[in-house]
Amino acid sequence: MPEIATAGVETELQRYFAAARLRASDYGEHYVALWDCLEQASTGGKRVRPAMVLAAYAGFGGRDLSLVTPVAVSFELLHTAFLIHDDVIDRDLARRGIANIAGQFSDRALAHGAASGQASAWAVTAAILAGDLALSEAHRILARLPVDTGRRIRLLDLLDRAVFVSAAGELADVTNAARPHPLGVTEVIATLEQKTAIYSFEAPLQAGAVLSGATDTAIDVLGRYGRLVGVAFQITDDILGVFGDPARTGKSALADLREGKQTALIAHAGSTIHWPAIAPFIGKTDLTEPEAELARGLLRDCGAPQAADELARDHAAKAVEALDTPLIPAELRSTLTALADSAVNRFR
Amino acid sequence: MPEIATAGVETELQRYFAAARLRASDYGEHYVALWDCLEQASTGGKRVRPAMVLAAYAGFGGRDLSLVTPVAVSFELLHTAFLIHDDVIDRDLARRGIANIAGQFSDRALAHGAASGQASAWAVTAAILAGDLALSEAHRILARLPVDTGRRIRLLDLLDRAVFVSAAGELADVTNAARPHPLGVTEVIATLEQKTAIYSFEAPLQAGAVLSGATDTAIDVLGRYGRLVGVAFQITDDILGVFGDPARTGKSALADLREGKQTALIAHAGSTIHWPAIAPFIGKTDLTEPEAELARGLLRDCGAPQAADELARDHAAKAVEALDTPLIPAELRSTLTALADSAVNRFR
């Protein structure tokens, strides 16, 4: 990813959590611990969404960091909320090998003498509440932003669309898993776009541009770019989720296969005569590493990683093409072109 | 409860859900079904929170229904969001005998050929997302309200406090369940206040008053009244939850006992020499109706229902006392006095 300074976002998040922790201390140690967990959950990410807000804002000439930083923080907290609630849905107790909020509150319950049934209630409660708190703050930040009404309403509409469409995508992700045959590639892409591309790329880029006073047409262009580049990122993530080196990606190379995740890889494989041989491995919850290696071989044989990679590159190229208009200032175009390139050239 | 017309709130909610459903139709039948479920979850309640907003607004002379109705809807959707997420925490598939969102999506999953493990993923996903959508709209409505910045910020602060304190109360409710001895009555009341009284009474009353331009002191008085009356309502609810007629309360008379819910009844019983005889029944997950009847007898013998009722009446009386100032217009005082009376005189 091109370097976009997000240090102001870190400072602002630290300030916010310090204040929340102080306020929580009136309500007992568990609530303070919940805020500690929430801060941890929001820490250590790549700050992709703040970077999008900041890049678009600066790209259209915006210079007021006191205005753009809260907007960047808002989208980061939205992301945190989604990750936390996603973990509840997936019943995960860890993220990237570290105990998540549910995991930490489950341990906390046991340390406080709770029975194991109670420990899972602590875990779910803490995670649902933490997500609600982060989501609430994402809204609150935009609602309080000292800008004119027209601009505030447009920012609120972007956030609203991000929440509305992400929920549709998250639901589709779960309901798709029940379908007996693999999805087609069009459906896979629609779900990626809904679940991730809109809230992670389209909306933050457009929010930065709105705040900077960009024209409606330029904002539309950024939206199109964001959807395409978001899909390119996600397809590449899904390839790395099966073929990547866990030490470099930080992701298990078994999880997606075990879960039967409906990716572009699987969509391609499902359209080939190789599918009956591959199908038994996909969604096998106790898949071993040797079995996974067999599955990877079969996926390679049917051309799945190449096909998915081409699809990602095609999306990245179309994203860059969308920027080819004088409406997008040269420096912003160059940053976003580098971003699109990095979407499909990672860990190689 | 005194009659406060909330028909405008119904209309506004219907309008909102009709628009959301139309918008959801771009994302497939399951997402439309999710919005149907969310609308159902928001329907049929007593509209206590909207009534508080409307009563305070009109009480201080507010007359613009186009301004107060959205605020009333905002607090109702906040309540809907909390109920929905509360059901996820409690793993309930029904509310008042009717399948809730999780229950309906679990059935839906099975009807679409999902395995039973998948059905529970559909259920949790739908309920978490529905709560997030309702919570988001609660924020969005206040953020878009066409009022001056000062008033908007104050309304946003009330919503923020409601979310922050309710989360603390919800967490305390779950962590308290792990404590080996019954809580003291002070702790029980603190949790009721945090979990329910603030978002249901204090904040909606104050929001109506802020919108109407009431003085800070009057707003403080309403806050104090709201916390006290909210606690009076909750204590009475908890008495009815054990001693009420399920046909009239719409609540199982076993659920609270089975769950081991930490109520004023239990706090009182825990402070008497009768507790060792009562304790085995409290939190017994397979408690039978005959056992419950024994437990009720023991609770009566130790004076728990009387003590809890006195506590509720004491809170209601203090709530009414708080109103005894010329800052509160006579008609509002009369409405709120009737409300406090109804809090402790239900189903008798």
Side-chain angles (χ1 to χ4, degrees), chain B residues 82-99:
Chain B
F82 285 165
L83 289 186
I84 291 171
H85 280 178
D86 204 29
D87 278 355
V88 180
I89 289 169
D90 295 341
R91 298 180 198 193
D92 287 332
L93 295 180
R95 185 167 275 271
R96 296 183 174 253
I98 298 163

Side-chain angles (χ1 to χ4, degrees), chain A residues 295-321:
Chain A
R296 287 186 201 110
L298 292 165
L299 286 168
R300 269 195 208 95
D301 291 345
C302 78
Q306 293 88 327
D309 192 53
E310 274 166 35
L311 197 63
R313 286 177 192 281
D314 182 50
H315 276 79
K318 286 203 175 104
V320 172
E321 262 171 54

Side-chain angles (χ1 to χ4, degrees), chain B residues 48 245 281 310:
Chain B
V48 172
D245 173 2
F281 296 105
E310 274 167 35

Side-chain angles (χ1 to χ4, degrees), chain A residues 156-167:
Chain A
L156 291 169
D157 285 349
L158 289 172
L159 181 61
D160 180 55
R161 171 169 155 84
V163 171
F164 189 90
V165 178
S166 303

Side-chain angles (χ1 to χ4, degrees), chain B residues 327-343:
Chain B
L327 291 166
I328 307 295
E331 203 178 323
L332 178 59
R333 195 182 315 156
S334 140
T335 304
L336 296 181
T337 301
L339 178 75
D341 185 57
S342 76

